[in-house]
Amino acid sequence: MKKTLVIFLGVTTILLLSGTAIGYAMMNKEVTITFSDKEKTVQTDVLSGSLSDALEKEGFDPAKLKSQYKPSVEWDSPIKKDGTKVNLACNCSVSLKVGGKKEKKMKTTEPTVGDFLKEQKVKVDKSDQMNATMDQKITNDLAIIIDKVEKRVQKKVEPIDYDTKKKEDPDLPKGEKKVAKKGKKGKSIYQVIAIYKNGKSMVTDKKLVEKVDPVAEVVMVGSGEAKETAAEKEDTQLSSGSRIAGLKYKKTMAAETTGYTATGNKTATGTTPRRGTVAVDPSVIPLGTRLYIPGYGQAVAEDTGGAVNGNVIDLFFDTREEAIQWGRRNVTAYILE
């Protein structure tokens, strides 16, 4: 009797233990579900269900999720392992605008902005400006804007005009001028730093890095008495009444004269300039007028000039030295008959 009881208890024990094993095998499986575009994590369990069942249990619409996400396991396959981790990658719509160019729209399952830019082979420099961070999650309809910022360094040279200093010289006839020292322009050298955003200048900074001072020009201005030349003395002696140097004249005029020499051009009247050719303002002295200029001699008005205005007469000389020697003189010009 005792032996029979022991066997019965043993069988009962085996049956109980076997039931426990079967019950354990039928336990719910814990599942952790993450979304690539959300911070929220879903933890649930299923007995013998699928990912779709687990999500539906937590109040999600599997059909809607299937159109938006790509899972790391099959949607409708049974979950067999306890502690299964599932990631739902969002197939998100993203717009991308780089360097002010036209916006592009596309789909991506990359989890972060950095991963998406790497996928698109877009390089972002340290100086560039972006409206998102590299570790920011990709969400549906995310707009990413990258402004390309560039710094350009250049040198700019600006000339500095020289001053002209005038000094009186009693050894020069009054009114005459002579350059004693030629002037020389200076320069300011700047470093210009320009910031460009998408190819357009936004900020410019100019810094002086070097300066070369100009050299002033020194001009001697005659303050002495005008010297009368031998020819002028002769003219004075010969002039009497309406004659000058034996030539009849009909009127006189005060004139400012300057010397010039050959330029290779014909005169305004088509002649080749020679000594005795003078340039005049035709509104004051008509072309073809015969003149007498003390110290120069007889002349004919055959030419004009851009700087010959009013009572100004330019006298032609055969050489540059003669023209320079004459310089600028105020004389009484005689209009011959």
Side-chain angles (χ1 to χ4, degrees):
M1 185 69 178
K2 287 182 179 180
K3 185 177 180 180
T4 302
L5 180 61
V6 170
I7 292 170
F8 175 75
L9 290 171
V11 172
T12 303
T13 301
I14 290 170
L15 289 172
L16 288 171
L17 291 172
S18 177
T20 301
I22 293 170
Y24 180 78
M26 297 298 291
M27 284 178 62
N28 288 356
K29 310 297 189 299
E30 186 177 279
V31 183
T32 302
I33 305 170
T34 57
F35 295 79
S36 68
D37 60 336
K38 296 179 175 62
E39 298 295 338
K40 182 180 180 181
T41 299
V42 176
Q43 286 188 325
T44 187
D45 55 70
V46 292
L47 182 61
S48 60
S50 62
L51 173 61
S52 296
D53 297 328
L55 289 166
E56 188 172 12
K57 179 183 176 182
E58 295 299 320
F60 291 93
D61 182 353
K64 187 175 180 180
L65 292 177
K66 286 179 182 180
S67 65
Q68 182 71 45
Y69 294 92
K70 182 179 179 181
S72 57
V73 301
E74 295 294 330
W75 284 104
D76 299 314
S77 296
I79 293 175
K80 300 176 181 179
K81 185 179 177 182
D82 186 40
T84 296
K85 292 182 179 180
V86 180
N87 179 60
L88 297 182
C90 175
N91 188 26
C92 291
S93 296
V94 179
S95 66
L96 177 64
K97 188 174 183 179
V98 181
K101 295 182 180 179
K102 188 178 179 181
E103 178 184 77
K104 294 181 180 179
K105 293 186 178 181
M106 58 204 78
K107 290 263 192 179
T108 184
T109 57
E110 295 295 337
T112 67
V113 170
D115 294 324
F116 168 69
L117 294 177
K118 187 175 181 181
E119 175 192 54
Q120 297 299 317
K121 297 180 181 179
V122 174
K123 184 180 178 181
V124 180
D125 297 324
K126 290 182 179 179
S127 59
D128 292 343
Q129 297 174 352
M130 185 167 64
N131 68 334
T133 59
M134 288 294 189
D135 59 356
Q136 183 175 328
K137 286 181 177 292
I138 293 288
T139 56
N140 203 37
D141 296 326
L142 177 66
I144 302 173
I145 300 173
I146 301 171
D147 291 318
K148 305 299 288 183
V149 179
E150 178 188 3
K151 181 171 77 171
R152 300 179 192 174
V153 181
Q154 297 176 322
K155 278 191 176 181
K156 184 178 180 182
V157 180
E158 294 182 0
I160 304 173
D161 288 332
Y162 58 80
D163 294 328
T164 300
K165 296 182 179 179
K166 294 182 179 180
K167 293 184 178 180
E168 288 190 354
D169 186 348
D171 294 329
L172 282 178
K174 191 172 183 178
E176 285 193 23
K177 296 178 181 179
K178 181 180 179 182
V179 177
K181 183 180 180 181
K182 286 188 175 181
K184 186 177 180 181
K185 288 186 176 183
K187 60 183 177 181
S188 295
I189 303 174
Y190 295 91
Q191 183 186 63
V192 181
I193 300 175
I195 305 297
Y196 287 80
K197 185 175 181 179
N198 298 331
K200 296 181 180 179
S201 179
M202 303 298 292
V203 179
T204 302
D205 179 55
K206 188 167 76 171
K207 180 182 179 182
L208 181 66
V209 293
E210 186 181 349
K211 183 179 180 182
V212 178
D213 292 326
V215 176
E217 183 166 283
V218 179
V219 177
M220 308 305 292
V221 180
S223 60
E225 293 295 329
K227 296 179 180 179
E228 190 176 26
T229 66
E232 289 172 328
K233 287 180 180 178
E234 181 183 354
D235 292 340
T236 303
Q237 293 169 358
L238 292 175
S239 62
S240 61
S242 59
R243 289 179 177 272
I244 180 73
L247 303 169
K248 289 185 177 181
Y249 65 90
K250 52 187 175 182
K251 68 174 183 178
T252 62
M253 61 177 286
E256 181 183 277
T257 63
T258 56
Y260 79 104
T261 189
T263 61
N265 298 322
K266 295 283 188 179
T267 66
T269 57
T271 63
T272 300
R274 64 201 179 285
R275 185 181 177 91
T277 296
V278 295
V280 298
D281 182 346
S283 65
V284 177
I285 302 174
L287 291 173
T289 300
R290 294 172 59 247
L291 304 99
Y292 183 84
I293 310 295
Y296 181 76
Q298 294 187 56
V300 180
E302 294 180 330
D303 204 1
T304 60
V308 181
N309 297 301
N311 287 22
V312 174
I313 303 174
D314 278 2
L315 313 178
F316 184 87
F317 288 89
D318 292 325
T319 65
R320 183 171 180 271
E321 290 72 20
E322 289 178 296
I324 293 173
Q325 186 176 4
W326 180 272
R328 185 184 300 272
R329 300 184 189 182
N330 293 319
V331 302
T332 298
Y334 294 83
I335 310 299
L336 301 179
E337 293 183 355

